């Protein structure tokens, strides 16, 4: 409704405008002024009307907002009062400004209980500091929380709950700052406390198990990394996922380059072992061939284990390097071969010793009878010359028998300082007779080489055997045999292979240009009775004897051969130390007397000698020899009969000569029995091979002398004369 104060304006607005003056006059000007004023009033009225409408709208919104605020306040109050939580509003001084019914029931269950005026008095002493810190955090950050706070409600009652704090700002009086208050909610955790504690225990156990799992993983990693076997893990795509340091060394590949590679890169036949995954969880596959990163083959022992899990399958491969084992097995096989060879050589030696003993007796009879025949023949006659040749051959056979006995008993030979060049030249004279004209013998023998401590007869026999072997290898073809001497110091490889010391050696080499030997023949060349010759054309003992000779001289024999390129045997003799210079011996004052002929008459008349030997030919020979020297001789082939003869009349015998090696009753047994019967009876012991042990036993048993057979009959006769006549 229009304002009554402004009605005049409305009436003036509705009046008709005055008529235009007919002419410009002061009245007209006044009317124009009034019209302008009327227009300005109308505009002002419109503006006032718009402001009124806006004010009415603002008043409406204000009344609506006030109603909404009152409604929200009522709802907040209703929610604050009815929420099933203990809620309270605290000022900065811990005074409870407002608390809902749940808070009063919780903190003041009975009228006689302490009223809920402040919160901190209800907080236990143990939790007070935490609660104060929570209020400080809420003041700074807006919200805070203290878990499992114990509130002492009564003497015997308490509440355990979580305290949630929120800072709220309330408007203060006009002209003053806003009021800071805290909205606190206490959530009783009594029903959930045991469950929460159980969850905490479970969480602690879970953390402990996780730590144990991590520790177990670390231990497993340490075991894998320190394992002596190569360990590789392969996923379901046959890609390497684990590659331990041993595998890196074995396959010569860093782990960074091996991870992700297919397993066939290192184990080409890995597909075969992966087929076992469907049959078993683990398998031992034995020896397989593996490859290094450079492509070199390795012998490895493989075992695998298979594991199935949610992501698929994992195969763990354990690879053990067999290189050292193979090397050890080869070394063991070599040692076993050497042992077998040693046993064979021992067997040959035993057999050779038995044969040589019997042959020794035969030679003794031959040489003795030759000596008797020479005494009955005139010098210069053809028969006498033949007897001389027989004597030479017999003496050479005697030396051979001694060599065989030395070899068979594996005892050190009787050595002296020998120049190998002289031995080779002496052997050359024998070889010239036996070599066919199609084979040329060449000698390269320097004279400045050091001497060696050796048995010249054995070296000569070894050289003869090697040259004979070369001659048979060349056969009927034209060929050449080279004998050469040298001096060397073996290198580490030769010392290990031949068993030599780090010292100077004199080498004696025999080289031929025959057909050579293959590896199979070369491996058996020193084996006793092994021969490539047809049956009846070789014994297979020649090179075995050479091997035995070098063994007794602390040397070695090396053989090198290639099919079609001949063969070379090299004997290694330790060089003898330089002999100290000595002054020449003084000349004898009188010339040595010429020894008498062994068969000439002596003062043996009326002297009775007992000779005992199991070989009848030797007994017959010695009887004739000594009888020619005037002795009375009683011969026995049975030592028991000889013992009985001594027991019957021991005084009739002036000397007992007995063989050492007799079956059933040795010469030592007869010696002891004879001395037991007659202690002053001179006794001599004869043997084809007198060792230091035999000599020691004989002298300890009471023997007066030892006789080497078959030696010159002069030695036998001289020993008999010496013992019989006591000089």
């Amino acid at each position: 409704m229009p304002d009554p104060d402004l009605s005049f304006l409305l009436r003036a607005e509705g009046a008709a405008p005055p008529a235009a003056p007919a002419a410009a006059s002061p009245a007209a000007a006044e009317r124009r002024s009034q019209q302008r004023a009327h227009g300005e009033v109308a505009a002002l009225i419109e503006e006032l009307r718009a402001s009124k409408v806006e004010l009415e709208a603002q008043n409406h919104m204000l009344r609506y907002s006030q109603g909404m605020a009152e409604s929200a306040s009522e709802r907040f109050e209703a929610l604050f009062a009815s929420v099933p939580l203990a809620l309270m509003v605290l000022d900065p001084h811990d005074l409870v400004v407002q608390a809902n019914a749940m808070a009063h029931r919780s903190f003041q269950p009975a009228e006689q209980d302490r009223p809920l005026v402040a919160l901190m008095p209800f907080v236990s002493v143990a939790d007070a500091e935490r609660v104060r810190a929570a209020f400080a955090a809420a003041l700074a950050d807006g919200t805070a929380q203290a878990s499992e706070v114990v509130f002492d409600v009564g003497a015997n009652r308490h509440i355990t709950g979580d305290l949630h704090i929120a800072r709220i700002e309330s408007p203060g009086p006009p002209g003053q700052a806003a009021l800071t208050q805290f909205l606190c909610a206490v959530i009783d955790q009594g029903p959930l406390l045991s469950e929460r504690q159980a969850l905490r225990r479970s969480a602690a156990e879970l953390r402990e198990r996780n730590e144990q799992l991590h520790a177990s993983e670390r231990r497993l990693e340490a075991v894998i990394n320190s394992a002596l076997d190569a360990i590789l893990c392969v996923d379901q795509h046959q890609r390497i996922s684990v590659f331990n340091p041993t595998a890196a060394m074995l396959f010569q590949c860093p782990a960074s380059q091996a991870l992700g590679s297919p397993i066939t890169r290192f184990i080409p036949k890995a597909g075969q072992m992966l087929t076992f995954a469907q049959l078993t969880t683990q398998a031992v596959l034995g020896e397989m061939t593996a490859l290094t990163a450079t492509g070199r083959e390795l012998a490895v022992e493989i075992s695998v284990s298979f594991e199935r899990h949610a992501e698929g399958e994992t195969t763990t491969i354990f690879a053990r390097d067999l290189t050292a084992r193979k090397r050890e097995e080869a070394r063991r096989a070599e040692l076993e071969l050497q042992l077998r060879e040693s046993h064979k050589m021992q067997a040959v030696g035993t057999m050779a010793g038995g044969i040589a003993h019997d042959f020794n007796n035969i030679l003794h009879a031959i040489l003795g009878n030759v000596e008797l025949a020479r005494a009955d023949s005139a010098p210069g006659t053809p028969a006498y010359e033949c007897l001389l040749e027989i004597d030479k051959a017999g003496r050479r056979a005697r030396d051979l028998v001694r060599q065989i006995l030395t070899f068979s008993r594996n005892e050190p030979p009787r050595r002296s300082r020998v120049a190998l060049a002289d031995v080779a030249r002496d052997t050359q004279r024998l070889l010239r007779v036996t070599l066919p004209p199609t084979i040329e013998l060449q000698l390269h023998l320097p004279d400045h080489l050091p001497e060696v401590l050796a048995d010249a007869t054995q070296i000569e026999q070894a050289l003869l055997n090697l040259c004979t072997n070369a001659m048979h290898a060349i056969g009927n073809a034209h060929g050449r045999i080279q004998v050469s001497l040298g001096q060397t110091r073996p290198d580490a490889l030769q010392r290990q292979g031949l068993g030599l010391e780090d010292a100077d050696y004199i080498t004696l080499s025999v080289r031929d240009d025959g057909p050579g030997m293959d590896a199979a023949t070369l491996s058996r060349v020193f084996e006793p009775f092994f021969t490539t010759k047809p049956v009846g054309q070789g014994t297979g003992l020649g090179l075995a004897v050479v091997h035995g000779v070098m063994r007794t001289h602390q040397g070695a024999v090396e053989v090198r051969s290639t099919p079609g390129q001949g063969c070379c045997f090299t004997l290694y003799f330790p060089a003898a130390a330089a002999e100290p210079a000595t002054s020449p011996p003084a000349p004898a004052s009188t010339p040595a007397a010429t020894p008498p002929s062994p068969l000439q008459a002596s003062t043996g008349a009326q002297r009775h000698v007992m000779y005992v030997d199991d070989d009848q030919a030797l007994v017959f020979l010695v009887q004739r020899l000594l009888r020619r020297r005037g002795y009375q001789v009683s011969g026995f082939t049975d030592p028991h009969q000889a013992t009985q003869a001594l027991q019957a009349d021991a005084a009739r015998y002036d000397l007992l000569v007995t063989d050492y090696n007799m079956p059933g009753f040795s010469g030592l047994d007869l010696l002891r029995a004879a001395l037991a019967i007659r202690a002053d009876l001179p006794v001599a012991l004869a043997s084809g091979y007198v060792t230091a042990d035999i000599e020691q036993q004989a002298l300890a048993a009471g023997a007066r002398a030892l006789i080497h057979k078959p030696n010159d009959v002069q030695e036998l006769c001289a020993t008999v004369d010496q013992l019989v006549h006591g000089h």
Side-chain angles (χ1 to χ4, degrees):
M1 186 174 179
D3 191 340
D5 295 333
L6 299 177
S7 58
F8 73 94
L9 294 175
L10 296 176
R11 286 195 299 271
E13 184 181 4
S25 64
E30 183 178 359
R31 285 195 296 273
R32 287 195 296 272
S33 176
Q34 291 177 353
Q35 289 176 354
R36 284 194 299 272
H38 178 76
E40 292 176 359
V41 171
L44 180 60
I45 290 173
E46 288 297 327
E47 185 177 353
L48 291 174
R49 285 177 177 171
S51 298
K52 180 182 179 182
V53 172
E54 184 178 355
L55 289 174
E56 288 179 350
Q58 290 178 356
N59 288 335
H60 179 73
M61 290 299 296
L62 182 60
R63 287 192 296 271
Y64 178 78
S65 298
Q66 185 177 1
M68 292 298 294
E70 293 175 353
S71 175
S73 178
E74 292 175 357
R75 288 195 300 272
F76 174 76
E77 290 293 339
L79 179 62
F80 186 83
S82 60
V83 69
L85 295 175
L87 298 178
M88 61 196 79
V89 178
L90 277 67
D91 67 1
H93 305 289
D94 193 40
L95 292 177
V96 178
V97 178
Q98 185 179 3
N100 66 353
M102 185 67 179
H104 285 288
R105 286 196 301 271
S106 299
F107 288 89
Q108 191 181 2
E111 292 182 2
Q112 66 271 20
D113 291 334
R114 178 172 45 192
L116 183 59
V117 178
L119 179 62
M120 289 305 298
F122 290 92
V123 179
S124 65
V125 177
D127 297 327
E129 192 61 33
R130 285 198 303 126
V131 172
R132 291 190 187 95
F135 274 103
L139 181 62
D141 301 330
T143 60
Q145 178 182 349
S147 300
E148 297 185 10
V149 179
V150 178
F151 299 95
D152 296 326
V153 176
N156 298 319
R157 185 173 180 272
H158 63 269
I159 299 173
T160 302
D162 294 342
L163 176 61
H164 297 266
I165 307 171
R167 188 190 67 198
I168 57 177
E169 301 291 339
S170 300
Q176 297 183 7
L179 297 177
T180 300
Q181 294 179 328
F182 298 98
L183 177 61
C184 301
V186 178
I187 303 176
D188 188 3
Q189 295 296 330
L192 300 177
L193 187 59
S194 59
E195 183 178 351
R196 179 181 293 179
Q197 291 175 350
L199 289 176
R200 286 180 178 175
R201 287 193 297 269
S202 299
E205 292 175 358
L206 183 60
R207 285 194 299 271
E208 184 179 359
R209 290 179 182 177
N210 287 336
E211 291 176 358
Q212 292 176 353
L213 180 60
H214 292 322
S216 177
E217 290 177 349
R218 289 192 295 270
R219 286 195 300 270
L220 178 60
E221 182 180 2
V223 169
I224 291 176
N225 290 337
S226 60
L228 298 179
D229 292 341
I231 300 178
L232 301 85
C233 291
V234 182
D235 59 18
Q236 62 269 26
H237 303 296
Q238 299 188 16
R239 298 281 177 177
I240 298 174
S241 57
V242 174
F243 200 76
N244 73 336
T246 304
M249 290 189 295
L250 177 62
F251 297 108
Q252 300 177 4
C253 179
S256 58
Q257 298 180 11
L259 295 176
S261 301
I263 186 60
T264 52
R265 175 185 178 185
F266 302 106
I267 305 177
K269 296 183 180 180
Q272 298 179 1
M273 61 186 181
L274 296 180
T275 58
F276 289 94
Q278 305 301 326
L279 304 177
T280 182
T281 57
Q282 58 185 7
V284 178
L285 304 183
E287 183 176 343
M288 298 184 71
T289 300
L291 297 176
T292 64
T294 58
R296 183 171 62 88
E297 290 188 350
L298 289 174
V300 295
E301 186 178 45
I302 298 292
S303 59
V304 294
S305 65
F306 306 98
E307 179 185 1
R308 298 178 182 86
H309 44 77
E311 291 78 10
E313 293 182 353
T314 298
T315 303
T316 303
I317 302 171
F318 302 89
R320 178 170 299 176
D321 187 9
L322 296 181
T323 303
R325 185 190 299 179
K326 291 283 188 181
R327 189 184 303 115
E328 185 62 28
E329 288 177 354
R331 175 63 178 166
R332 186 183 299 112
E334 180 181 354
L335 291 177
E336 289 176 353
L337 179 61
Q338 292 178 2
L339 181 61
R340 288 195 297 270
E341 293 297 325
S342 176
H343 288 168
K344 290 179 181 177
M345 298 295 284
Q346 232 174 5
V348 171
T350 302
M351 182 188 67
I355 297 174
H357 176 265
D358 294 339
F359 190 59
N360 202 34
N361 291 336
I362 298 173
L363 282 177
H364 198 174
I366 293 174
L367 290 175
N369 283 285
V370 166
E371 196 68 32
L372 290 173
R374 285 174 56 193
D376 295 336
S377 300
T381 62
Y384 190 86
E385 296 298 325
C386 290
L387 290 174
L388 289 178
E389 292 300 321
I390 294 173
D391 184 72
K392 291 180 182 178
R395 293 177 185 277
R396 180 166 181 77
R398 177 196 61 189
D399 293 338
L400 270 177
V401 168
R402 286 182 179 175
Q403 177 183 342
I404 293 174
L405 288 173
T406 300
F407 169 77
S408 65
R409 288 173 171 82
N410 196 23
E411 294 184 358
R414 298 182 179 180
R415 302 178 190 171
S416 59
R417 300 181 69 89
V418 174
L420 292 182
D422 295 339
V423 177
R425 292 189 185 97
D426 292 341
T427 308
Q428 178 189 15
R429 290 191 288 270
L430 296 174
L431 287 172
R432 294 294 185 188
V433 181
T434 58
L435 284 177
T438 56
I439 297 179
E440 178 186 0
L441 179 62
Q442 297 180 350
L443 273 70
H444 302 282
L445 308 174
D447 292 324
H448 64 279
L449 296 178
E451 296 177 328
V452 298
L453 292 177
D455 186 321
T457 302
Q458 289 192 0
I459 297 177
E460 181 180 338
Q461 185 61 46
L463 183 56
L464 279 173
N465 288 355
L466 291 177
C467 292
T468 302
N469 190 72
M471 180 182 66
H472 291 165
I474 296 173
N476 297 326
H478 288 271
R480 181 174 63 253
I481 299 175
Q482 295 179 345
V483 178
S484 59
L485 289 175
Q487 184 176 1
T488 185
R489 180 177 286 267
D491 56 27
L493 186 61
Q494 287 178 312
R495 293 197 301 270
Q496 181 180 5
L498 300 176
L500 299 175
E501 300 291 336
D502 187 10
D504 289 331
Y505 285 82
I506 308 301
T507 59
L508 175 60
S509 300
V510 177
R511 184 186 304 272
D512 66 71
D513 54 1
M517 294 182 287
D518 56 19
T521 304
L522 202 62
S523 64
R524 303 183 59 188
V525 69
F526 296 113
E527 183 177 330
F529 304 112
F530 173 76
T531 179
T532 58
K533 302 181 183 67
V535 177
Q537 296 187 17
T539 62
L541 291 176
L543 295 180
V545 169
V546 173
H547 181 274
V549 168
M550 298 311 300
R551 182 182 61 187
T552 58
H553 282 79
Q554 285 77 50
V557 54
E558 181 183 33
V559 56
R560 295 181 180 179
S561 181
T562 303
Q565 298 183 14
C567 186
C568 178
F569 286 85
T570 302
L571 308 183
Y572 290 82
F573 293 92
E579 190 174 12
T582 57
S583 58
S589 58
T590 57
T594 304
S597 170
L599 300 183
Q600 71 184 20
S602 69
T603 58
Q606 306 304 320
R607 300 290 184 169
H608 196 169
V609 177
M610 175 185 287
Y611 185 80
V612 184
D613 197 304
D614 60 331
D615 192 315
Q616 180 64 48
L618 286 181
V619 173
F620 180 65
L621 170 65
V622 172
Q623 284 178 326
R624 288 187 296 157
L625 283 173
L626 295 181
R627 284 171 181 169
R628 287 199 179 194
R629 293 180 63 86
Y631 289 99
Q632 181 182 356
V633 183
S634 297
F636 295 90
T637 58
D638 186 353
H640 296 285
Q641 293 180 0
T643 304
Q644 293 173 2
L646 287 173
Q647 290 173 342
D649 188 3
R652 64 184 294 232
Y653 298 104
D654 299 295
L655 174 65
L656 169 63
V657 179
T658 177
D659 185 25
Y660 170 77
N661 191 2
M662 294 183 293
F665 200 76
S666 70
L668 285 176
D669 295 332
L670 181 58
L671 169 64
R672 296 187 183 100
L675 294 180
I677 297 171
R678 178 184 165 188
D680 62 339
L681 178 65
V683 181
L685 200 66
S687 175
Y689 186 75
V690 178
T691 65
D693 185 50
I694 293 175
E695 183 175 2
Q696 182 179 3
Q697 292 180 12
L699 295 177
R704 301 284 183 88
L706 282 88
I707 301 174
H708 297 261
K709 65 172 186 178
N711 260 13
D712 293 338
V713 294
Q714 178 182 355
E715 178 184 351
L716 173 62
C717 295
T719 303
V720 170
D721 290 342
Q722 179 183 1
L723 293 177
V724 168
H725 297 289
H727 56 78

